[in-house]
Amino acid sequence: MTTEVSSRTLHVANGTCTTALLGAAGIPGRASIWADPLHDGPVPSGLSDDDLLNLRVDYLSGKLDGYPPSPASQDPVNDLRAWRAAIDDVASYDEIVLWFEHDLFDQLNLIQLLDHVSRDGVRAKPISLICVGGFPGHPNFKGLGELSPAEIGSLVGTRRLVGEAQMALANRAWNAFRDPDPRAIERLIQADTSALPFLRAALRRHLQEFPWTRDGLSRCERRLMTLAEREPIGIHDAFPRMHEGEDAFYIADGSFWDLAVELERASLVTIDAPSRHPYDFPDGTIVLTALGGDVLGGREDRIARCGIDRWIGAVHLEGSNGVWRWDDAAGALVPPQP
């Protein structure tokens, strides 16, 4: 495609860090975001697009019982309804350029967005995609937000039109993600996903957040507890280290803090902090408890001892037994056992 974009281009990106870079690079057009943390909280099947939107708004704002407000919900830019309005106002732009990355957060947003536009008449306008998993000179690339304005500007000419193959795969993937039987995701990633080359690894990483057969911990839970295993770890030190060993990392600061608090409620860690602010990391440490050590060592099972009440996409894990699990040795899900 041409390296030029017009002032009537709508850029839709994975967050405000990327849109700020687009502005700093002087790339023509206006910007919006599409950045719902879909890996957190309920994304059930059987709801219309509008009903799901309302549910996600309520979840992120803390209006659902048992779920605290997301830190991101306090920023006016994080308005899910405004994001859709920008996309659906087809008379205001001539082309959409999508800016996303390889990780789970972005891939879930990408398949939802493509599913949305395929059903809502936006296809009349060209839709192009910039989706990267690396950039020269950034050996530990984590995302578009770490690029300079000049570097992100150089990506404009790499955009490619979204075709039927990408749209069809996004539709199938979004339906699989919202299937209450998570084996639908397994079936999807066992088939051809080359139209969206980062999707398979991201969705496999999603499945690893189910409780593991060996100890009942998710991959993120185990990582955080391992960081605190030998000695207390500073909260601000732990967050960046959550990304070590990840190829499709995704955990953002809000998700990290929710994870830590959930582990504390389960008595697996203690958060030693003099004060807590609902939207910022406090100064303090995370300490593994004796029960946490037993679970991490495989002597106790996290689900059997602590129970669980968590949505993973369309799957509601609830109770102290009989939940979906991930068998990492087999690389497959295990259905609930009585």
Side-chain angles (χ1 to χ4, degrees):
M1 296 185 67
T2 176
T3 58
E4 302 296 326
V5 293
S6 77
S7 60
R8 282 182 52 82
T9 299
L10 174 63
H11 300 277
V12 180
N14 58 355
T16 54
C17 186
T18 301
T19 56
L21 282 170
L22 299 179
I27 299 171
R30 62 187 180 92
S32 180
I33 64 171
W34 191 289
D36 183 356
L38 292 161
H39 50 74
D40 287 338
V43 192
S45 62
L47 298 181
S48 68
D49 189 58
D50 286 342
D51 288 341
L52 179 61
L53 169 62
N54 292 333
L55 177 67
R56 293 298 298 174
V57 169
D58 287 346
Y59 165 70
L60 294 171
S61 63
K63 292 181 180 178
L64 294 185
D65 289 342
Y67 296 100
S70 163
S73 69
Q74 306 306 302
D75 189 335
V77 75
N78 291 313
D79 184 339
L80 278 66
R81 295 187 176 94
W83 306 346
R84 280 159 175 74
I87 291 278
D88 295 343
D89 184 13
V90 294
S92 68
Y93 58 82
D94 294 331
E95 178 189 2
I96 301 176
V97 180
L98 310 179
W99 299 77
F100 287 92
E101 299 153 8
H102 61 296
D103 59 73
L104 177 61
F105 179 100
D106 280 36
Q107 291 297 299
L108 292 180
N109 276 276
L110 178 60
I111 61 174
Q112 184 193 31
L113 194 160
L114 290 178
D115 182 78
H116 176 80
V117 300
S118 72
R119 294 182 292 102
D120 288 283
V122 181
R123 288 298 306 280
K125 298 293 179 74
I127 302 170
S128 54
L129 174 63
I130 295 168
C131 191
V132 297
F135 195 90
H138 294 263
N140 297 311
F141 179 81
K142 292 184 173 65
L144 293 166
E146 68 186 53
L147 302 182
S148 69
E151 288 172 331
I152 204 165
S154 72
L155 292 174
V156 172
T158 70
R159 71 192 191 282
R160 294 291 179 268
L161 284 173
V162 173
E164 292 302 324
Q166 288 91 348
M167 284 291 190
L169 176 56
N171 292 152
R172 295 195 303 273
W174 183 238
N175 288 334
F177 180 70
R178 294 187 61 195
D179 194 314
D181 185 335
R183 289 173 296 190
I185 298 175
E186 288 188 312
R187 292 190 292 272
L188 179 93
I189 62 178
Q190 289 164 1
D192 181 11
T193 60
S194 58
L196 296 171
F198 300 117
L199 183 62
R200 174 179 285 117
L203 289 179
R204 190 175 190 278
R205 180 63 185 85
H206 168 73
L207 297 178
Q208 292 172 350
E209 281 306 291
F210 282 85
W212 287 29
T213 53
R214 74 187 194 208
D215 54 20
L217 294 170
S218 73
R219 180 170 170 176
C220 277
E221 288 178 328
R222 187 179 302 101
R223 176 60 184 159
L224 180 53
M225 291 168 63
T226 299
L227 289 173
E229 182 177 15
R230 294 186 177 179
E231 59 184 7
I233 186 168
I235 295 168
H236 291 269
D237 297 326
F239 173 59
R241 295 192 61 190
M242 291 293 292
H243 300 151
E244 294 173 358
E246 293 275 10
D247 295 321
F249 84 99
Y250 67 92
I251 191 165
D253 51 2
S255 300
F256 165 77
W257 184 240
D258 289 345
L259 172 70
V261 171
E262 184 176 348
L263 288 175
E264 184 182 48
R265 289 183 183 135
S267 300
L268 299 176
V269 304
T270 298
I271 300 173
D272 185 6
S275 62
R276 302 189 189 185
H277 188 283
Y279 307 123
D280 293 311
F281 291 169
D283 292 324
T285 60
I286 296 173
V287 182
L288 191 69
T289 65
L291 175 59
D294 286 340
V295 171
L296 196 58
R299 297 179 293 277
E300 295 277 4
D301 183 83
R302 183 249 194 271
I303 305 301
R305 281 298 304 268
C306 310
I308 193 171
D309 184 1
R310 180 189 307 155
W311 283 88
I312 303 181
V315 184
H316 189 194
L317 304 178
E318 190 174 21
S320 57
N321 57 31
V323 300
W324 286 94
R325 297 212 182 204
W326 172 256
D327 184 339
D328 197 56
L333 288 165
V334 177
Q337 304 298 311

